[in-house]
């Protein structure tokens, strides 16, 4: 699906010198406006900058077009200064939804955060963590011993999920990836594919002895004892990619890469 013309463009940049220099140049070339006045936001940096920008505009329905001035750039378009308005007008729109994480800590305080890529639970000390996993209120795994466990969206399936040997998910697939991190017991459990309407609850077993942190993208809460996760279908996040180079194509190409 292609986009429309965008007149008011805001440029945001990571702290990298290349990104800041690009923002200054593009602001001059295209009369950049503040983010709160923009029809579209151009994020300059790497994938981390794209995620940060998506979090910053969450709930405003402003599309984000990333250009790579970082080191990875899986979510980004190639950087070029010329023809930006034409690229934006022809860009393919991808709509994604974040996860909502509700984490209860050992003091019974509830922390809520959104995750575009994944919600991950990690051991805080040298001892392995122990978890119990429920899906839609039904116990599915009474005990998982591992370094951690994560629930990833299709957009996030190429990030930590892939590094933890989780599956790559086509962007339009109605699925979430539940992936263990360095599982010890059951040793051969590789995770599960869940429908994206599923509600997942993860209880931390022995939380005093084996403390665990819960992380929604880069938002961390420590010493949690129960984490509930579900897809937030009411929140739409729009990313723009050059025609023929959208996330679906990149995820497909990743599966045939060497």
């Amino acid at each position: 699906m292609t986009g429309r013309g965008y007149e008011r463009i805001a440029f945001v940049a990571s702290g990298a010198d290349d990104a800041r220099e690009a923002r200054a140049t593009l602001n001059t070339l295209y009369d950049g406006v503040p983010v709160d006045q923009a029809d579209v936001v151009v994020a300059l940096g790497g994938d981390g900058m794209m995620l940060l920008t998506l979090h910053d505009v969450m709930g405003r329905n402003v599309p984000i077009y990333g250009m790579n001035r970082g080191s990875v750039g899986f979510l980004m378009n190639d950087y070029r200064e010329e023809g930006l308005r034409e690229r934006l007008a022809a860009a393919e729109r991808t709509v994604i939804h974040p996860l909502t994480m509700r984490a209860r800590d050992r003091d019974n305080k509830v922390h809520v955060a959104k995750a575009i890529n994944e919600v991950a639970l990690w051991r805080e000390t040298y001892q392995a963590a122990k978890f119990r996993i429920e899906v839609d209120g039904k116990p599915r795994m009474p005990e998982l011993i591992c370094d951690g466990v994560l629930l990833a969206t299709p957009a996030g399936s190429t990030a930590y999920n892939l590094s933890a040997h989780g599956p790559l998910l086509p962007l339009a697939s109605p699925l979430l990836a539940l992936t263990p991190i360095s599982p010890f017991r059951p040793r051969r459990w590789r995770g599960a594919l869940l429908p994206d309407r599923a509600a997942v609850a993860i209880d931390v077993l022995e939380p005093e002895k084996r403390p665990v942190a819960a992380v929604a993208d880069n938002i961390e809460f420590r010493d949690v004892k129960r984490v509930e996760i579900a897809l937030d279908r009411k929140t739409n996040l729009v990313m723009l990619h050059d025609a023929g180079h959208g996330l679906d194509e990149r995820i497909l190409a990743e599966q045939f890469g060497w």
Side-chain angles (χ1 to χ4, degrees):
M1 179 178 178
T2 56
R4 56 180 175 84
Y6 299 99
E7 294 300 321
R8 296 172 298 177
I9 307 173
F11 298 95
V12 296
S14 70
D17 289 342
D18 285 351
R20 294 164 65 182
E21 291 169 7
R23 178 180 59 187
T25 299
L26 294 169
N27 265 324
T28 300
L29 289 174
Y30 296 99
D31 298 320
V33 302
V35 171
D36 60 3
Q37 300 176 20
D39 299 319
V40 62
V41 176
V42 174
L44 302 161
D47 286 347
M49 186 61 195
M50 171 62 88
L51 289 177
L52 178 62
T53 306
L54 287 167
H55 276 282
D56 286 345
V57 305
M58 193 174 293
R60 295 183 50 208
N61 205 30
V62 178
I64 309 298
Y65 180 89
M67 285 203 286
N68 191 17
R69 294 279 84 187
S71 57
V72 180
F74 187 88
L75 300 175
M76 313 300 273
N77 299 285
D78 292 336
Y79 178 76
R80 293 199 304 273
E81 295 172 359
E82 67 280 359
L84 178 58
R85 293 191 188 278
E86 291 76 15
R87 292 173 74 183
L88 291 172
E92 299 175 349
R93 293 169 59 92
T94 300
V95 179
I96 62 175
H97 306 290
L99 297 166
T100 298
M101 176 186 80
R102 294 175 57 85
R104 184 178 297 276
D105 65 22
R106 297 204 309 251
D107 295 324
N108 283 322
K109 184 177 180 180
V110 176
H111 309 272
V112 180
K114 302 287 186 182
I116 296 164
N117 272 357
E118 75 281 312
V119 170
L121 282 74
W122 303 89
R123 64 181 174 94
E124 293 180 10
T125 67
Y126 65 93
Q127 288 187 301
K130 288 186 178 182
F131 301 110
R132 178 174 56 240
I133 300 174
E134 298 176 1
V135 179
D136 293 329
K138 183 175 182 178
R140 290 292 181 181
M141 181 161 288
E143 185 177 86
L144 170 65
I145 305 175
C146 56
D147 282 351
V149 63
L150 63 85
L151 187 70
T153 66
S157 68
T158 60
Y160 284 140
N161 173 72
L162 182 60
S163 296
H165 307 291
L168 284 171
L169 303 179
L171 203 62
S173 61
L175 298 170
L176 301 171
L178 181 64
T179 302
I181 302 166
S182 302
F184 179 69
R185 291 285 188 274
R187 191 179 297 274
R188 291 184 174 83
W189 189 62
R190 299 297 300 273
L193 290 176
L194 306 178
D196 65 5
R197 65 181 181 276
V200 178
I202 303 173
D203 288 305
V204 179
L205 306 179
E206 303 177 25
E208 290 81 13
K209 180 181 179 182
R210 303 169 185 271
V212 167
V215 185
D217 286 346
N218 61 344
I219 304 168
E220 179 179 358
F221 304 103
R222 297 179 72 82
D223 299 334
V224 301
K225 65 180 184 180
R226 180 177 172 88
V227 176
E228 298 171 349
I229 314 161
L231 196 69
D232 175 9
R233 296 180 179 277
K234 295 181 179 180
T235 299
N236 296 328
L237 299 169
V238 181
M239 289 186 290
L240 302 176
H241 290 92
D242 292 331
H245 297 279
L247 284 184
D248 277 330
E249 169 59 28
R250 295 179 188 209
I251 289 173
L252 186 61
E254 186 77 18
Q255 296 178 82
F256 291 90
W258 292 89

